[in-house]
Amino acid sequence: MRLRPALRIRSVHATIGFGLAIVAALTFLRWTDPIALRDIRDSTFDQYQRLSPRPNEAVPVRIVDIDEKSLKELGQWPWPRTLVAKLLARLGELGAAVVAFDVLFSEPDRMSPKNILAAAPNIDAELLANLPDNDQIFAAEIARQSVVLGFAAAPNGQDKPGVKAGFAFTGESPLQAPPHLVSATVPLPMLAEPADGLGDISMNPEQRTGVVRAIPLFFSDGAQLYPSLTLEALRVAQGASTYILANAPERPNSIGVVKVGAYEIPTTATGALWMYMNPERADRYISASDILTAPAEKLAPLIAGQIVFIGTSAAGLLDIRATPLGKNVPGVSIHAQAVEQILTGRFLSRPDWADGLEVLSVALLGVMVVMLITFLPPWIAVIAGSVVAGGVVLVSWVVFRQAGILLDPVFAVGTALITQFGAIGFRFLVTDSERRRIRRAFGQYVSPSVLARAEEQTDGLSLGGIDREVTLMFMDVRNFTTISEGMAPTDLVSFLNKLLSGLSRHVMETEGTLDKFIGDSIMAFWNAPVDVAQHTEKAARCALAMRQTLREMNDSNAFGMDQPIAFGVGLNTGIACVGNMGAESRFNYSAVGDAVNTAARIESASKDIGFDLLISETSARQLPEFALLDAGSHALKGKSEHLRLFLLVGDENLASTAAFQDLRAAHDRYLGDPGESLLAEAIRLANAVMPELRKFYCKLSEEHAKGFDSRVNV
């Protein structure tokens, strides 16, 4: 992509200053990271999960669901602890590796016979002591199985849960990292005592929204860590006794990795697990009523060796949670999916450096957009900025899909868009007002390159000019006086408009500056006001294209005349003074100087020499690959010295042909030693290359007969 020329310094400073002010404000906003931005970021990560949820993989995790069917068949919740004990025993018989209850057993069973009759008057104490106690029955069953019971964090209270596991730290103590546990609703002591594990079931009481995007793996009261139900189920299933916690790199009071048994779990600095969800599926659940009633041979393949969570999907029991997938699921499903993640090793992470990288990307992307807007045309800048912004989104998506890393592209892209349209609006409303004035004044009669220069450099509007090397062209219609005598004025204007429009378009196409129309003539030049690479070559290609266009017009009789239209073209490369010339109120961008006069004289000489495209020796030196023929040295009107001129026969394609190479060799022999036989050979070869050359050779032979020495090279 080619950058535009430098803008006016004032416009550059104004646009850059305004754009950078927007970028600075947005970068500061991202650095402060208000809640609204965090919500947008979370929604972006939710959308990623919806587009690419965690794939289903076979893992030993099952949910025994206290669903509507179970409540209908087994009665309202809470069930008698004897029924829960029966359910637990059945799971043990079926071979469950561990049973984790996403249910609180914090109060005595009110349906226990001992508890019912305890309030009766005059009850015999010995009889009461011998009555069955449902909680004791349940506790006995817990002791026989591998069981994890749940507790829930509570803001007020005195109770703290027991801890069944040990903790080892590699690095500094992480006791201050997890969410703080003030107190908890804990299981009955008689139930907690025989349980193999105790874990938190409350997800995250400090969440701002109802969507469960991450769950804490630990709570802390400042002196003791308390694991989650998820971790405890995984620990007990493996028969592990200790959690090993490592700090996040170079971050005190943090947790980076948790190891439990054979599994390592990357966490946030607070010890939370980013949830990578997959859609709910029926095979994850078994109804609790089916566990108690279905045949063992049907259930055993589904339960044996499984980590079993017992929870509820019944709406009336109010344990429904929103997920990043936009669905509501039972809370027990989140525990189960967390274990599935760990077992499959499919984790999401938001590294400590993510925030810093995103702040930096906001600043860099914003600055890049400002530069694009300042130095490129608006439409190119919009496309380039959109491509860059799309690249940011693509990178974010790829690292999510390939590595599970959560990087937010939204604010960086938003910064790019806001900066882009803000800076473009500023340019058009403020800094481009001068350009629009210049375009209105010059747009009708200067080439696009001159117009761009005038728009971007207002000092170019002053009178005067600069010296620079240019290639100049003059074109003139042959026998125009004779042609015009036989035409009505309106027909003459129509003829000129058609002819000059068809020819002058090639000037624009080759990056030339169309100076002026002078009656039936065209003046143009290349390499001013802007640099044009290989300007002599482009001028030559323009002349050849004009020749071809005129041939096509004549072949199609575009002018409705009996005879074809012919022209002469002169090209010269040299130093000229170019700039705005005229009065302050009316001026024209043009070129003056000896090089201009020489080009005009060369065009005039083309008629006498008998060839349509004639160029100077200085131009010929810059066209070594083109098909050129030496026309000898000539005295031009108003010039004190002879100038060597060349015929522009064709481009490098023609020059490479054997026919032209033979012609050039014969031509050079004839110029070195004019003679009838050599002339005849040159004409014969010329007819095969370009029949129009015959007229040139006839003129040249006449000059030789008069004593013209083509070998002179002044």
Side-chain angles (χ1 to χ4, degrees):
M1 183 178 297
R2 187 164 56 89
L3 291 177
R4 302 179 73 185
L7 299 172
R8 287 188 299 119
I9 293 178
R10 187 177 63 184
S11 298
V12 168
H13 289 174
T15 303
I16 291 178
F18 182 79
L20 293 182
I22 295 176
V23 173
L26 293 174
T27 303
F28 178 77
L29 181 64
R30 175 59 186 85
W31 180 71
T32 58
D33 202 22
I35 290 176
L37 293 188
R38 282 177 268 166
D39 289 341
I40 294 173
R41 182 164 61 244
D42 289 341
S43 297
T44 301
F45 298 152
D46 291 350
Q47 190 61 42
Y48 281 2
Q49 289 204 48
R50 294 173 193 179
L51 293 173
S52 180
R54 180 170 56 82
N56 290 327
E57 298 176 80
V59 288
V61 179
R62 198 74 62 185
I63 296 173
V64 172
D65 189 11
I66 304 172
D67 55 4
E68 301 290 351
K69 174 186 175 183
S70 300
L71 296 180
K72 181 177 180 180
E73 294 181 2
L74 302 176
Q76 294 183 345
W77 185 264
W79 291 337
R81 300 281 160 79
T82 51
L83 182 56
V84 179
K86 184 178 179 182
L87 178 64
L88 178 58
R90 178 66 164 167
L91 290 171
E93 294 169 2
L94 295 171
V98 62
V99 178
F101 283 91
D102 184 26
V103 177
L104 288 175
F105 298 108
S106 57
E107 298 178 351
D109 184 0
R110 67 177 186 271
M111 289 178 283
S112 176
K114 180 178 289 187
N115 293 336
I116 293 174
L117 295 178
N122 302 321
I123 186 70
D124 183 81
E126 184 177 353
L127 175 63
L128 186 62
N130 291 324
L131 287 175
D133 186 327
N134 292 357
D135 290 315
Q136 290 179 346
I137 296 172
F138 185 34
E141 192 59 45
I142 290 174
R144 284 191 288 269
Q145 311 293 341
S146 293
V147 175
V148 176
L149 297 182
F151 66 87
N156 301 305
Q158 301 295 325
D159 294 328
K160 295 284 181 70
V163 177
K164 301 284 185 174
F167 297 89
F169 307 145
T170 60
E172 297 182 8
S173 169
L175 289 173
Q176 304 304 318
H180 187 66
L181 183 73
V182 177
S183 63
T185 302
V186 299
L188 292 172
M190 73 167 62
L191 302 179
E193 180 64 28
D196 295 293
L198 296 173
D200 173 69
I201 66 172
S202 54
M203 303 298 179
N204 191 350
E206 299 178 359
Q207 286 185 138
R208 294 178 294 101
T209 66
V211 180
V212 180
R213 298 184 174 94
I215 61 171
L217 297 183
F218 297 98
F219 283 80
S220 173
D221 61 6
Q224 176 65 54
L225 292 176
Y226 302 92
S228 68
L229 186 72
T230 298
L231 277 188
E232 283 288 83
L234 185 62
R235 179 186 67 80
V236 173
Q238 298 180 87
S241 60
T242 303
Y243 295 106
I244 302 174
L245 287 74
N247 298 112
E250 300 181 0
R251 186 164 179 177
N253 297 320
S254 67
I255 300 174
V257 176
V258 175
K259 184 173 183 182
V260 50
Y263 297 94
E264 285 192 0
I265 309 164
T267 70
T268 67
T270 61
L273 172 69
W274 279 95
M275 292 301 300
Y276 192 5
M277 308 293 289
N278 68 12
E280 285 288 78
R281 61 182 193 273
D283 64 347
R284 184 178 283 139
Y285 293 84
I286 302 175
S287 174
S289 63
D290 289 342
I291 294 294
L292 294 174
T293 60
E297 59 270 16
K298 177 181 178 181
L299 294 176
L302 303 177
I303 299 298
Q306 302 282 308
I307 299 174
V308 177
F309 287 91
I310 298 180
T312 178
S313 66
L317 298 184
L318 305 177
D319 189 25
I320 303 299
R321 310 295 179 104
T323 72
L325 300 183
K327 303 295 183 180
N328 293 328
V329 302
V332 67
S333 173
I334 294 175
H335 291 296
Q337 292 216 39
V339 174
E340 289 177 7
Q341 276 185 251
I342 297 169
L343 294 179
T344 59
R346 294 187 178 272
F347 298 107
L348 298 181
S349 66
R350 181 161 170 81
D352 292 339
W353 45 262
D355 280 312
L357 177 64
E358 289 167 6
V359 172
L360 182 62
S361 67
V362 167
L364 292 180
L365 188 58
V367 171
M368 181 184 301
V369 168
V370 171
M371 296 300 106
L372 291 174
I373 293 297
T374 304
F375 295 107
L376 293 179
W379 68 273
I380 296 180
V382 169
I383 293 174
S386 300
V387 169
V388 173
V392 171
V393 175
L394 180 61
V395 169
S396 172
W397 171 251
V398 169
V399 298
F400 169 80
R401 290 279 289 120
Q402 300 299 322
I405 296 176
L406 300 173
L407 296 178
D408 176 28
V410 173
F411 197 75
V413 172
T415 296
L417 294 176
I418 293 171
T419 304
Q420 182 169 270
F421 291 109
I424 288 176
F426 181 80
R427 277 185 57 183
F428 277 101
L429 292 176
V430 181
T431 64
D432 281 6
S433 60
E434 182 70 12
R435 294 185 178 191
R436 292 192 292 273
R437 182 185 69 81
I438 296 169
R439 182 173 289 275
R440 288 193 297 269
F442 289 86
Q444 296 182 356
Y445 63 90
V446 299
S447 70
S449 62
V450 176
L451 180 59
R453 177 67 169 267
E455 288 178 338
E456 296 171 355
Q457 292 187 344
T458 55
D459 56 355
L461 300 179
S462 61
L463 298 182
I466 59 172
D467 290 340
R468 62 189 294 145
E469 183 184 75
V470 293
T471 298
L472 299 117
M473 169 192 284
F474 279 87
M475 185 284 295
D476 184 63
V477 178
R478 293 286 176 256
N479 302 317
F480 180 69
T481 301
T482 303
I483 294 171
S484 61
E485 286 177 348
M487 301 178 66
T490 54
D491 294 337
L492 182 60
V493 171
S494 176
F495 163 75
L496 286 174
N497 286 343
K498 181 178 294 186
L499 175 64
L500 297 180
S501 295
L503 300 181
S504 63
R505 65 184 174 87
H506 297 297
V507 176
M508 307 295 188
E509 291 170 354
T510 53
E511 300 184 72
T513 297
L514 185 60
D515 187 311
K516 59 177 71 70
F517 297 111
I518 311 169
D520 62 319
S521 301
I522 294 174
M523 175 184 173
F525 50 84
W526 283 256
N527 205 40
V530 294
D531 292 334
V532 176
Q534 301 175 317
H535 53 89
T536 303
E537 178 183 322
K538 291 179 179 177
R541 295 191 188 282
C542 175
L544 292 170
M546 292 169 69
R547 171 197 279 167
Q548 181 61 31
T549 295
L550 185 60
R551 284 176 178 172
E552 293 171 356
M553 286 179 158
N554 285 327
D555 291 343
S556 64
N557 197 21
F559 307 112
M561 295 185 180
D562 296 334
Q563 61 181 4
I565 302 299
F567 66 24
V569 173
L571 290 180
N572 180 44
T573 300
I575 302 297
C577 180
V578 292
N580 291 295
M581 301 172 194
E584 288 283 359
S585 59
R586 184 176 180 83
F587 50 85
N588 183 46
Y589 192 84
S590 187
V592 295
D594 183 65
V596 180
N597 297 331
T598 299
R601 297 294 180 261
I602 293 173
E603 181 276 315
S604 297
S606 67
K607 182 176 182 180
D608 297 330
I609 292 175
F611 196 71
D612 58 348
L613 305 184
L614 203 60
I615 69 174
S616 68
E617 186 177 12
T618 56
S619 295
R621 289 195 191 109
Q622 299 188 40
L623 300 172
E625 304 299 325
F626 276 59
L628 305 177
L629 294 177
D630 192 343
S633 296
H634 297 263
L636 301 181
K637 183 178 179 181
K639 306 295 291 185
S640 60
E641 297 179 343
H642 286 68
L643 292 179
R644 183 165 288 277
L645 303 178
F646 290 79
L647 311 183
L648 177 57
V649 182
D651 60 12
E652 66 274 18
N653 294 322
L654 178 62
S656 64
T657 63
F660 179 79
Q661 292 172 8
D662 292 343
L663 169 61
R664 182 159 54 190
H667 177 87
D668 291 342
R669 288 195 298 272
Y670 173 67
L671 291 185
D673 184 19
E676 291 296 329
S677 61
L678 291 177
L679 175 62
E681 181 186 3
I683 292 176
R684 179 182 62 80
L685 293 171
N687 283 332
V689 174
M690 187 178 181
E692 290 88 342
L693 284 167
R694 184 181 185 87
K695 182 178 180 181
F696 161 73
Y697 283 112
C698 291
K699 292 264 188 182
L700 186 59
S701 66
E702 293 175 3
E703 292 296 320
H704 281 144
K706 295 176 183 178
F708 168 66
D709 187 356
S710 61
R711 292 170 296 180
V712 176
N713 186 10
V714 180

